[in-house]
Amino acid sequence: MPSVSRMHRMRRMALMIGNVLSFGITKDMKNVFLLIDYWQQAIETDMESFFALLLRRYGGQKWLPKERPCTMRYGIYLKDPFSLECMDTVEEYWKKTGFDRQKETIALLFYGHSYPNDFLPVVQKMAECFGQKYNILPVAFSQNEDQDLETLQKYLCQKATPVSAVINLMPFRLGAGPMGGNADRAVEILRELDVPYLKPFCLTKVSEEEWKYSDAVNPGEFLISILLPELDGGILSFPVGMMQTEKTSTDGLELPVRIETLSRRVSALLDLKQKANKEKRLAVVFYNYPPGESNVFGGAFLDTFASASELLRQLKQQGYLVDEMSPEELQEAFVTGGNCNCPEWSEQAEARFTYELDGEICPVRGILNGNIFLGLQPVHNPNEYHDRNRETRAEYQAFYQWIQKEFRADALIHFGTHGTLEFLPGKENGMTGDC
């Protein structure tokens, strides 16, 4: 299979030769690439030109008007999602659209064409929603494998109007796709930028109704929209758009509720960057599966007590409000102190924290060390651990509700292996707002 760069060279050469020798096979070669461009861009004027060129040149319909220049662009460039005007420099874009120095800037990465799916409505809804609070830098790609990553670096890493987060709506890895590319170079750019990298995606193989009632997205969608982007550090991988259900339509349908959810989470991430470490509240959840003292802080082939002790030491070094604890002190607090699930040889410690859920007072097992909560994940259906059809117990739900609403954690870490979140009922990925 030819590389993308070779195909671009072939296209440019065919267009150039077709302009110079505008007859016979050279003109046909030029027309083939023009038709491909019209088809890929697929906006109304380009589709009119597609059929005009095809029918006038090869269908004998000489009365049809001459085709117009194609709006398709190759490479990486800036494209206003509303006016569809394309620009080459950040300075030119802000001069045209305006820049608010009181707002942070979010880069929005998307396909600049409409084939095979037109997700421009999703891009526009994203730009509209995030544009209420942030400057939006819209970066368009002709395809994932574009070799013009130096242009991407120039857009994202410039210092005049720094980018605070990147949202990428394209599938596959950044800078790479089915026909090659350079994902490692793209990762270097993201590492240099060092800001949150968000990877929401658009569903292309299911209807909205099918998505709501499925356990997960299909394997192909999972691969290109969740698994591969995670290799680049992409987070918050959930749908924000999907195909319309009409069989004749390839237009994207935005999901406003999920876009608003993404907007809130991005705002929380950016607000957290401004918060001093001593003010941040962190919940660290350890495993106790199967329940009992012998499996407290369980982790296959891991010395989890020692690892947790090192975590606390480094957090203190970074300015978090926390005291160091040795592995032995942690073991004392949880094992012999009775702060575990279903203790077998020690007395059950009275829970220091509780949470009321549906009228039931549920214990929250753990200790508070400064602004760091160290807790044990509760038991999930002790006799049917792996049954995903059973609703989890109230204590399990109360534990996470307490972390979110009472402790008000800024972040949560599941530490060690392995817990029981994967055995809960509901979707494995591609979450809806009801998950």
Side-chain angles (χ1 to χ4, degrees):
M1 180 182 291
S3 68
V4 174
S5 58
R6 283 180 61 193
M7 291 182 67
H8 284 340
R9 287 197 298 270
M10 289 166 58
R11 172 187 172 274
R12 286 195 298 269
M13 186 176 297
L15 293 175
M16 180 180 67
I17 295 173
N19 286 329
V20 175
L21 304 174
S22 188
F23 55 86
I25 193 171
T26 56
K27 188 172 182 66
D28 291 336
M29 286 175 58
K30 172 189 173 182
N31 288 339
V32 165
F33 283 101
L34 276 177
L35 289 168
I36 291 172
D37 287 354
Y38 287 133
W39 186 262
Q40 269 204 291
Q41 189 63 3
I43 65 173
E44 186 174 346
T45 56
D46 286 315
M47 292 311 296
E48 288 174 356
S49 293
F50 174 89
F51 286 107
L53 172 59
L54 196 62
L55 294 172
R56 189 170 53 81
R57 172 72 177 171
Y58 303 102
Q61 306 299 315
K62 303 299 183 183
W63 58 271
L64 286 171
K66 194 175 187 311
E67 66 277 1
R68 285 176 276 188
C70 184
T71 60
M72 179 71 185
R73 280 194 58 166
Y74 283 85
I76 300 173
Y77 53 96
L78 302 175
K79 183 174 184 177
D80 188 313
F82 301 103
S83 70
L84 305 186
E85 186 176 0
C86 301
M87 283 151 272
D88 294 311
T89 68
V90 173
E91 295 78 14
E92 181 186 6
Y93 179 76
W94 293 133
K95 187 175 180 179
K96 287 264 189 179
T97 62
F99 179 79
D100 188 343
R101 294 200 172 275
Q102 302 304 312
K103 296 179 179 179
E104 293 186 84
T105 298
I106 291 178
L108 182 60
L109 279 52
F110 59 97
Y111 286 133
H113 53 79
S114 304
Y115 177 82
N117 306 307
D118 181 10
F119 281 114
L120 182 61
V122 180
V123 176
Q124 290 173 333
K125 185 65 178 179
M126 293 276 290
E128 178 186 318
C129 180
F130 282 87
Q132 297 174 19
K133 189 173 180 180
Y134 304 102
N135 297 302
I136 303 299
L137 185 67
V139 184
F141 286 61
S142 60
Q143 53 201 21
N144 294 75
E145 302 91 344
D146 277 316
Q147 300 295 313
D148 194 16
L149 289 177
E150 301 313 309
T151 297
L152 179 65
Q153 181 182 30
K154 183 172 62 177
Y155 291 156
L156 298 184
C157 300
Q158 46 82 29
K159 305 299 182 185
T161 54
V163 169
S164 298
V166 176
I167 300 175
N168 181 3
L169 290 171
M170 299 180 294
F172 298 99
R173 298 191 65 180
L174 182 60
M179 298 182 67
N182 191 349
D184 291 341
R185 178 69 185 106
V187 169
E188 289 175 4
I189 294 171
L190 292 174
R191 187 176 289 119
E192 177 186 348
L193 185 60
D194 192 25
V195 299
Y197 177 56
L198 300 311
K199 270 301 290 133
F201 60 93
C202 298
L203 291 164
T204 61
K205 304 297 183 184
V206 296
S207 68
E208 186 172 8
E209 196 71 12
E210 290 170 331
W211 167 56
K212 286 181 178 178
Y213 293 103
S214 64
D215 288 336
V217 301
N218 66 61
E221 206 102 58
F222 171 77
L223 173 68
I224 66 175
S225 295
I226 298 177
L227 190 151
L228 289 176
E230 283 186 356
L231 298 178
D232 299 334
I235 60 174
L236 300 184
S237 298
F238 57 79
V240 291
M242 62 176 37
M243 300 304 300
Q244 294 190 38
T245 54
E246 291 84 353
K247 293 182 179 179
T248 57
S249 175
T250 57
D251 290 343
L253 172 68
E254 70 272 14
L255 301 170
V257 173
R258 303 309 285 146
I259 291 174
E260 290 163 9
T261 297
L262 180 68
S263 177
R264 289 195 301 272
R265 294 187 181 180
V266 171
S267 294
L269 282 170
L270 296 184
D271 290 344
L272 189 58
K273 288 187 68 175
Q274 306 302 321
K275 199 172 187 178
N277 283 350
K278 65 180 180 181
E279 298 173 356
K280 293 175 183 175
R281 301 177 69 80
L282 176 64
V284 186
V285 178
F286 300 93
Y287 302 130
N288 187 194
Y289 162 74
E293 292 93 340
S294 57
N295 293 306
V296 173
F297 279 38
F301 305 107
L302 300 175
D303 187 344
T304 314
F305 284 110
S307 299
S309 176
E310 178 64 16
L311 171 66
L312 296 179
R313 186 187 71 80
Q314 293 196 27
L315 286 172
K316 186 175 181 65
Q317 274 190 347
Q318 295 296 322
Y320 286 80
L321 184 59
V322 64
D323 291 325
E324 294 185 37
M325 295 181 71
S326 69
E328 293 73 25
E329 289 172 324
L330 286 168
Q331 194 164 9
E332 172 71 23
F334 281 93
V335 179
T336 57
N339 284 306
C340 67
N341 298 322
C342 310
E344 299 164 304
W345 59 76
S346 65
E347 291 295 324
Q348 180 93 301
E350 183 177 347
R352 292 180 56 190
F353 314 107
T354 59
Y355 187 83
E356 183 175 348
L357 183 70
D358 299 331
E360 182 179 349
I361 303 299
C362 302
V364 177
R365 307 217 170 271
I367 62 174
L368 195 60
N369 183 342
N371 282 342
I372 311 298
F373 171 69
L374 307 171
L376 279 186
Q377 189 180 63
V379 174
H380 162 58
N381 293 324
N383 299 319
E384 298 290 346
Y385 253 87
H386 303 99
D387 188 346
R388 296 182 65 244
N389 295 314
R390 291 179 178 268
E391 184 177 357
T392 191
R393 304 195 315 171
E395 182 179 330
Y396 197 101
Q397 299 175 51
F399 178 80
Y400 288 98
Q401 293 280 353
W402 181 88
I403 288 174
Q404 180 185 18
K405 297 178 180 179
E406 297 289 336
F407 179 64
R408 302 189 310 281
D410 293 306
L412 184 150
I413 299 173
H414 285 90
F415 203 97
T417 55
H418 73 81
T420 53
L421 282 175
E422 64 205 79
F423 304 127
L424 300 187
K427 290 186 182 298
E428 295 178 11
N429 52 57
M431 304 304 179
T432 67
D434 296 329
C435 291

